[in-house]
Amino acid sequence: MTEKKVAAIREGYGEGLKIIAEKDKNVVAIDADLAYSTNSIKIKEVDEKRHFYAGISEQSMVGMAAGLAL
């Protein structure tokens, strides 16, 4: 029987984001002071310019996301 590696969901999220960002240049990450907790900081390994920091302002993140989507 093979052993399965158990990891936190946030580790999978960070790795998944990195993999998707490598394949699609339009993928970015917007953070509200949780980049290390959620592991979204991993997108910087692909391209530092695709990580946006909104500070502790989730409301601003929504506006930033809308602007980027346009």
Side-chain angles (χ1 to χ4, degrees):
M1 187 167 148
T2 61
E3 289 188 38
K4 293 182 180 180
K5 180 183 175 191
V6 178
I9 292 172
R10 64 182 175 260
E11 291 177 25
Y13 169 72
E15 283 298 318
L17 181 62
K18 180 180 161 187
I19 290 167
I20 293 169
E22 289 171 341
K23 295 179 181 182
D24 186 349
K25 66 181 174 97
N26 294 314
V27 173
V28 300
I30 306 173
D31 258 303
D33 208 30
L34 293 171
Y36 291 97
S37 295
T38 62
N39 279 331
S40 63
I41 196 80
K42 288 187 176 261
I43 198 168
K44 282 188 163 190
E45 295 174 15
V46 177
D47 184 357
E48 280 194 28
K49 295 178 182 175
R50 289 164 57 191
H51 180 262
F52 299 95
Y53 176 68
I56 305 174
S57 181
E58 288 80 2
Q59 300 90 336
S60 294
M61 285 176 54
V62 174
M64 291 170 73
L68 288 166
L70 288 173

